[in-house]
């Protein structure tokens, strides 16, 4: 409960700083959050190829670079890209977000915290060069992504 | 000279691992590199607002999160997103890259190394909570971006 409240507060703070920045249009907010998720997806794919599919040779430095990217984006304050008016298509920017996400920011903050923890563990596993731990952490990151998609993203 | 050679080698290695991964289509490579640069641009904007324009209150944790994101993306192996066939529009993905970039990967590797060093210094300045150093490092990152745009990006 405590962490949910802390999370809700974090979202409220993010909303305030969004208002203070105010320089990013709703259309650009949608574009930028999609850019962030696409870039995360590419980096998830690189890790998957090396430690799950094993279709590419394992390279610790590449895994660590990908993990750092996932962790940095997860902690980059994406909440600021869900400002007012971004719950539907704006201009050329379509979105698959379900409008109910905007009524559940406390839950979103909790999911966001879960993702940050998972990506932090992935970085630690990559730094330790421990392929088993990387697999476990990678699965947890994937579950965290899926948890939010299942709730708040349209098919 | 040594760093140029090291950089060229890094690009060659990136090209090899691109070939080995082979899962990202040319169209998606263009989409993903544009996503990465857009996300960097947003994070540059957040730092600019706080330490240059001072239109938003300085917040060390936000600056550090933005710096970490810039540094992680700069080190994420974007060279793999400049594979064969990505020197022009593919499908719906337009690109402003100048074709001559693909003939100058040694120079690009040097510019890429400059960017990584600059974003690393920005992270260090943010960790030190030193606004003067953040301004200096931010300017160096901006110069690094511009250096590549001037040479290899169409207006």
């Amino acid at each position: 409960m405590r962490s949910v409240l802390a999370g809700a507060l974090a979202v409220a703070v993010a909303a305030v700083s969004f208002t203070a920045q105010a320089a990013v249009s709703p259309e650009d907010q949608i574009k930028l959050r999609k850019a962030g998720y696409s870039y995360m997806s590419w980096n998830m794919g690189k890790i998957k190829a090396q430690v799950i599919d094993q279709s590419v040779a394992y390279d610790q430095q590449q895994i660590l670079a990908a993990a750092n990217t996932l962790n940095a984006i997860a902690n980059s304050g994406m909440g600021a890209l869900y400002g007012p008016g971004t719950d539907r298509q704006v201009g050329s920017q379509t979105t698959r977000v379900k409008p109910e996400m905007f009524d559940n920011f406390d839950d979103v903050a909790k999911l966001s915290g879960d993702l940050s923890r998972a990506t932090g563990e992935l970085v630690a596993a990559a730094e330790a060069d421990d392929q088993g731990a990387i697999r476990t952490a990678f699965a947890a990151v994937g579950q965290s992504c899926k948890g939010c998609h299942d709730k708040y993203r349209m098919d």
Side-chain angles (χ1 to χ4, degrees), chain A residues 4 8 21 28 52 71 76 95-96 134-135 141 144 146:
Chain A
V4 171
Q21 292 184 22
D28 280 345
I52 307 294
N71 193 45
S76 65
T95 175
R96 284 193 282 171
I134 292 167
R135 268 188 284 277
V141 173
S144 179
K146 185 175 185 301

Side-chain angles (χ1 to χ4, degrees), chain A residues 3-118:
Chain A
S3 71
V4 171
L5 287 174
L9 182 62
V11 166
V13 170
V16 168
S17 49
F18 160 73
T19 307
Q21 292 184 22
V24 182
S25 70
E27 185 170 4
D28 280 345
Q29 287 177 50
I30 296 173
K31 176 187 167 183
L32 287 165
R33 70 196 190 203
K34 286 160 64 179
Y37 295 132
S38 293
Y39 212 74
M40 290 182 95
S41 172
W42 177 50
N43 283 280
M44 287 292 281
K46 288 187 281 185
I47 298 173
K48 180 171 181 284
Q50 292 192 18
V51 299
I52 307 294
D53 302 341
Q54 302 186 9
S55 56
V56 177
Y58 173 79
D59 180 312
Q60 187 214 357
Q61 289 304 308
Q62 289 182 7
I63 297 279
L64 181 56
N68 279 332
T69 303
L70 290 163
N71 193 45
I73 295 176
N75 286 289
S76 65
M78 282 190 131
L81 300 175
Y82 288 86
T86 68
D87 57 340
R88 67 194 75 116
Q89 178 171 348
V90 182
S92 65
Q93 288 298 325
T94 56
T95 175
R96 284 193 282 171
V97 73
K98 291 182 183 171
E100 53 261 44
M101 178 194 244
F102 293 78
D103 298 323
N104 289 285
F105 276 162
D106 55 346
D107 185 44
V108 176
K110 183 186 171 302
L111 294 171
S112 173
D114 292 345
L115 177 63
S116 291
R117 268 186 297 281

